[in-house]
Amino acid sequence: MKEVREIQKQMEYISPRKRKPVVEVWEGMTIEELGKAMGKDADHVFELMEYVDNTVSYKKPTDVLDSTIIGDILEKARYRMKHRSRPILEEEDRDLYPYPPAPEDKLVKRPPIVTIMGHVDHGKTTLLDYLRKSSIVDSEFGGITQHIGAFSVTMKSGSVTFLDTPGHAAFKAMRSRGAHCTDIVVLVVAADDGVMEQTEESIRMARSADVPIIVAINKIDKHNADIELTKRMLSVQGLVPEDMGGNVQCVLISALKGTNVEDLVEAILLQAEISNLRSDPDGFVEGVVLESRVDPHLGKLATALIRRGTIRRGTIIVAGQAWAKVRLMLNDQRKQVAQATPSTPVEVSGWKIMPSPGDIILEVADEKRAHEVAEYRAKKAAKNKALEDLPVIEAKMKEHKTEYKKMLLEKRKLGVSRIKPKGPKPKEIIETYTGPRLNIIIKADVEGSLEALLDVIETYHNPLCKLDVVHFDVGAVSKNDIEIAESFDAVVYNFNVNVLPDASQLAEEKNISIRPQNIIYRFLDDVRKEINSRLPEKEMEEVTGEAVVLKMFTITDGKQKNIPVAGCRCVKGDLKKTSLYRVLRNNEEVFRGSLHSMRNIKTEVTLIKKEQECGLRFEETAYVPEAGDVIQSFRNYTVPQEIDWNPFGNIR
């Protein structure tokens, strides 16, 4: 035998079984998928199926094969079979992207969008304030009352849209996204100060955004103004004025007095003419979110600057992870408008969640598509966040493992089997709690992970449900852990560790839940979900109708005399005879009970509608309502409860 093995070894003998190629298969495999796994096409599989029993019913490549049939097919083809889980296909890109440029014949002229930038105290805000005020007084300008992140100025020669926040955060966001919201930057430089640090930063931002710059030299009326020095300082930065042989428009103004401000607007319009700013007003809407806020009356509002298309009431738009069906639009004068064309700023209501400044606005065909895009972006953001957190988590795990190894070395040197708990032994406390409870067992791969998980559990302090860790340890889930879980009716969490075969079998027999986890956030979410499932439903009351007592009178019913009856008028909702009732006097509840009788005129009824009058008699005849009391009908119902517990805050 030894000689035979030596000969086989020399000949590099391979058994017939090992020579058979291996094909990975999974549950629910189609004919087409089996062909690809074999390196063949679907027709090849159909040819093999002619030699396999019970395959007549399979007609199409998309038909799902039975596992026995798959085995018979591979046996006929002399393949070996290896089972695996179904491969996870990469999710289809369902995101929304800007639409292709419109044809030239669809483009029309649009107003320029201007951002005013510059150093602190150089007059940016004063210039914007003058434009707003002059627009109210001067008939050449459109009326402006309250700015909403952007406003429009209209002159005889055209109109200009100004972003009214110097150094607006959305400008940076737009620049980083490659969507240049601004067409022109007006750089305000004070004649008495010249080019300063933030002036240089503004120049860098404008050049990075690749937009033309118009310089407004402000404060020319001050006694220490040095216009020529300011121009030379601008030239050093590469902004050479036209009167010095350059190509940069430079307008001398006094924002405080309004000197030459109209000339500045004319310069902007001239630059817009040179830039040939055009857009398609008929295509799909594209724009950008400048800012967002919550209005107590209108709800979630976002200031949108339209760059393409015409937004109207009912238009469905997506911005970031938010979407809206436009319900209402307000212009820069806080007046409702039915539509907004390119370069027009409007406040839009109808958002499901609040969009973020800098988000690109795109129109979609219907609500289904909007919801799909928003959901896809939310999942993508969560996935990216998890990938960002992964290095931190791995570094922390490595640190914990290092500390744990040190602790093991120390323990082995001391010759002890386990590390003794520090501090005095806690006193035994008799448990008197009888409410909802969740007992858990935690098994982790290292002490560091275990300590982190226990630290999370220690942050839980909610009286609605008791959370107890009845056992924790490092290592795989064993049979002993399952027995403890059975005794305490506990859920077992195994963090980055396996379950021993005998423990898995026992858990199945005893119906013990084992929850594998490898990310602490997911562990927290699962514990929170388990707690919520154990909470009793919360009882609520809903007012279904309300009546006002107009007059009290008494009746006689058989032997009973002086029975109080409240003459009422229903002012809200409906009153049903079978409902529960309470009486409010001076906004305080003075009585609660059910009705014995409900009459409209002299007819016994079961329902009183709004504005109808009725007589109400309570079961409790000892209670006497008074004129002016408010009688409310209500119903009791229950809603699920959820705990508010998130020790990680918003880091996810």
Side-chain angles (χ1 to χ4, degrees):
M1 288 299 295
K2 185 177 180 181
E3 293 177 356
V4 172
R5 284 197 298 270
E6 288 295 331
I7 294 171
Q8 289 178 346
K9 186 176 180 181
Q10 291 174 5
M11 297 177 62
E12 295 183 350
Y13 172 78
I14 301 174
S15 68
R17 177 175 175 78
K18 290 186 178 180
R19 282 202 297 267
K20 290 183 179 181
V22 178
V23 176
E24 292 185 337
V25 299
W26 54 86
E27 192 71 27
M29 199 176 198
T30 65
I31 296 173
E32 187 176 21
E33 289 173 340
L34 178 59
K36 289 180 180 179
M38 296 169 63
K40 307 289 184 179
D41 56 15
D43 292 336
H44 181 77
V45 179
F46 278 116
E47 290 177 5
L48 291 170
M49 289 167 62
E50 294 179 3
Y51 303 96
V52 177
D53 296 333
N54 303 320
T55 59
V56 180
S57 59
Y58 298 103
K59 303 292 184 183
K60 296 180 294 184
T62 55
D63 288 344
V64 177
L65 292 168
D66 183 80
S67 58
T68 305
I69 299 294
I70 293 175
D72 293 342
I73 292 172
L74 294 177
E75 186 178 351
K76 291 292 182 183
R78 298 185 180 278
Y79 284 91
R80 284 193 296 135
M81 184 170 57
K82 180 181 179 182
H83 288 277
R84 58 159 295 176
S85 59
R86 174 177 286 275
I88 300 174
L89 300 176
E90 188 174 347
E91 188 177 9
E92 181 185 356
D93 187 356
R94 295 180 284 114
D95 207 348
L96 185 65
Y97 300 96
Y99 304 101
E104 285 290 327
D105 58 345
K106 296 287 186 180
L107 302 178
V108 297
K109 184 180 177 181
R110 65 171 177 82
I113 301 169
V114 179
T115 296
I116 298 180
M117 307 179 71
H119 192 72
V120 177
D121 294 332
H122 277 203
K124 303 182 300 293
T125 304
T126 306
L127 176 58
L128 288 162
D129 288 343
Y130 179 84
L131 288 168
R132 294 191 191 98
K133 293 174 184 177
S134 61
S135 296
I136 297 172
V137 177
D138 196 336
S139 60
E140 290 184 351
F141 291 74
I144 296 173
T145 54
Q146 181 180 351
H147 70 282
I148 59 169
F151 65 93
S152 298
V153 173
T154 304
M155 298 183 67
K156 291 180 180 178
S157 54
S159 61
V160 180
T161 298
F162 287 96
L163 299 187
D164 71 346
T165 305
H168 201 289
F171 182 76
K172 293 182 180 180
M174 241 70 72
R175 185 161 50 81
S176 65
R177 292 167 183 258
H180 306 298
C181 177
T182 299
D183 300 315
I184 300 169
V185 168
V186 171
L187 182 65
V188 178
V189 185
D192 60 339
D193 249 356
V195 176
M196 304 294 287
E197 180 182 354
Q198 289 182 19
T199 312
E200 296 177 1
E201 175 63 24
S202 299
I203 295 171
R204 286 195 295 269
M205 289 177 64
R207 284 176 173 164
S208 176
D210 194 24
V211 293
I213 300 173
I214 296 175
V215 177
I217 299 180
N218 192 26
K219 302 184 181 181
I220 59 173
D221 52 336
K222 295 192 72 171
H223 69 280
N224 58 342
D226 192 335
I227 297 173
E228 294 303 318
L229 175 61
T230 302
K231 288 182 178 180
R232 289 196 297 270
M233 295 175 72
L234 288 167
S235 299
V236 173
Q237 297 295 324
L239 299 178
V240 183
E242 291 176 335
D243 59 356
M244 296 179 64
N247 60 354
V248 177
Q249 293 188 77
C250 191
V251 184
L252 309 180
I253 67 168
S254 172
L256 187 63
K257 297 181 179 179
T259 306
N260 297 333
V261 173
E262 292 185 17
D263 294 341
L264 176 62
V265 178
E266 292 288 350
I268 292 170
L269 292 172
L270 176 61
Q271 180 62 55
E273 195 71 32
I274 296 171
S275 300
N276 191 26
L277 301 175
R278 297 188 299 164
S279 182
D280 175 19
D282 300 322
F284 280 102
V285 173
E286 290 185 20
V288 66
V289 177
L290 296 180
E291 59 186 28
S292 54
R293 65 186 181 92
V294 177
D295 186 278
H297 304 291
L298 301 177
K300 300 178 181 68
L301 296 175
T303 304
L305 186 60
I306 308 304
R307 296 283 303 191
R308 177 181 176 181
T310 300
I311 189 170
R312 299 177 175 86
R313 293 175 187 171
T315 301
I316 301 172
I317 53 178
V318 177
Q321 299 178 27
W323 69 276
K325 183 176 182 180
V326 179
R327 291 201 311 259
L328 178 74
M329 289 188 295
L330 303 175
N331 63 8
D332 52 12
Q333 302 177 44
R334 305 294 294 165
K335 294 181 180 179
Q336 290 191 33
V337 293
Q339 63 180 30
T341 53
S343 297
T344 304
V346 286
E347 273 194 308
V348 176
S349 73
W351 297 95
K352 308 305 176 184
I353 61 173
M354 191 77 75
S356 302
D359 284 345
I360 303 301
I361 296 173
L362 296 171
E363 181 182 355
V364 293
D366 50 42
E367 293 186 20
K368 181 180 178 181
R369 176 60 176 149
H371 182 75
E372 181 184 56
V373 173
E375 187 179 39
Y376 176 81
R377 290 178 175 179
K379 288 182 178 179
K380 189 175 179 180
K383 183 178 179 180
N384 292 338
K385 181 61 177 174
L387 292 175
E388 290 176 6
D389 292 341
L390 187 60
V392 179
I393 296 171
E394 290 177 343
K396 196 69 176 176
M397 293 284 291
K398 186 177 180 181
E399 180 184 344
H400 285 319
K401 287 180 180 178
T402 303
E403 293 295 326
Y404 180 62
K405 286 180 180 178
K406 291 180 180 177
M407 191 164 50
L408 282 178
L409 289 173
E410 181 184 354
K411 185 170 67 173
R412 287 166 183 166
K413 288 178 182 178
L414 295 173
V416 294
S417 60
R418 65 184 181 88
I419 297 175
K420 296 180 180 179
K422 298 179 181 179
K425 184 178 179 180
K427 295 181 179 179
E428 186 177 352
I429 301 174
I430 299 175
E431 182 64 62
T432 58
Y433 179 80
T434 57
R437 176 193 295 274
L438 172 62
N439 294 328
I440 65 174
I441 293 174
I442 302 176
K443 297 300 291 289
D445 53 348
V446 294
E447 281 284 350
S449 298
L450 182 60
E451 289 174 0
L453 295 173
L454 294 176
D455 288 342
V456 169
I457 298 300
E458 286 181 1
T459 64
Y460 178 83
H461 304 287
N462 196 305
L464 295 177
C465 180
K466 189 87 169 178
L467 175 61
D468 282 332
V469 181
V470 295
H471 177 64
F472 59 88
D473 201 356
V474 173
V477 177
S478 64
K479 192 174 179 180
N480 180 57
D481 299 322
I482 303 303
E483 291 172 350
I484 296 174
E486 182 188 11
S487 302
F488 288 91
D489 189 22
V491 177
V492 180
Y493 287 96
N494 52 322
F495 197 84
N496 278 329
V497 293
N498 297 323
V499 182
L500 298 178
D502 57 345
S504 180
Q505 183 180 353
L506 182 61
E508 188 174 349
E509 293 174 359
K510 302 294 185 180
N511 197 25
I512 302 299
S513 178
I514 301 177
R515 311 281 178 84
Q517 300 290 338
N518 54 15
I519 299 176
I520 196 167
Y521 305 138
R522 304 275 176 81
F523 165 76
L524 173 65
D525 290 340
D526 195 275
V527 173
R528 186 164 44 212
K529 182 180 178 181
E530 189 66 30
I531 291 173
N532 290 336
S533 68
R534 296 167 185 256
L535 296 178
E537 292 191 329
K538 186 178 180 181
E539 293 187 359
M540 304 287 288
E541 289 184 357
E542 180 187 10
V543 176
T544 57
E546 187 172 293
V548 176
V549 179
L550 303 177
K551 185 179 179 181
M552 286 300 305
F553 54 92
T554 59
I555 63 171
T556 300
D557 186 6
K559 296 181 180 180
Q560 289 184 308
K561 296 181 179 181
N562 299 325
I563 299 174
V565 175
C568 309
R569 175 183 287 114
C570 182
V571 294
K572 288 182 182 178
D574 298 328
L575 303 179
K576 291 183 179 179
K577 183 178 179 181
T578 55
S579 298
L580 296 174
Y581 285 82
R582 58 167 166 251
V583 181
L584 304 179
R585 186 174 298 158
N586 298 325
N587 293 325
E588 293 185 5
E589 184 177 322
V590 295
F591 176 76
R592 179 181 291 233
S594 57
L595 290 182
H596 178 274
S597 175
M598 172 187 285
R599 294 193 178 189
N600 179 244
I601 307 178
K602 293 184 178 181
T603 305
E604 186 73 20
V605 295
T606 59
L607 177 67
I608 295 293
K609 295 186 177 181
K610 186 178 178 181
E611 301 302 331
Q612 284 187 329
E613 293 187 353
C614 61
L616 301 180
R617 171 186 167 186
F618 292 101
E619 290 282 3
E620 181 59 57
T621 58
Y623 173 72
V624 180
E626 297 180 2
D629 286 352
V630 175
I631 299 178
Q632 290 182 341
S633 65
F634 63 94
R635 71 178 185 91
N636 293 325
Y637 65 99
T638 58
V639 294
Q641 292 191 85
E642 291 186 359
I643 59 167
D644 183 15
W645 175 43
N646 186 8
F648 301 117
N650 296 320
I651 64 173
R652 283 188 289 175

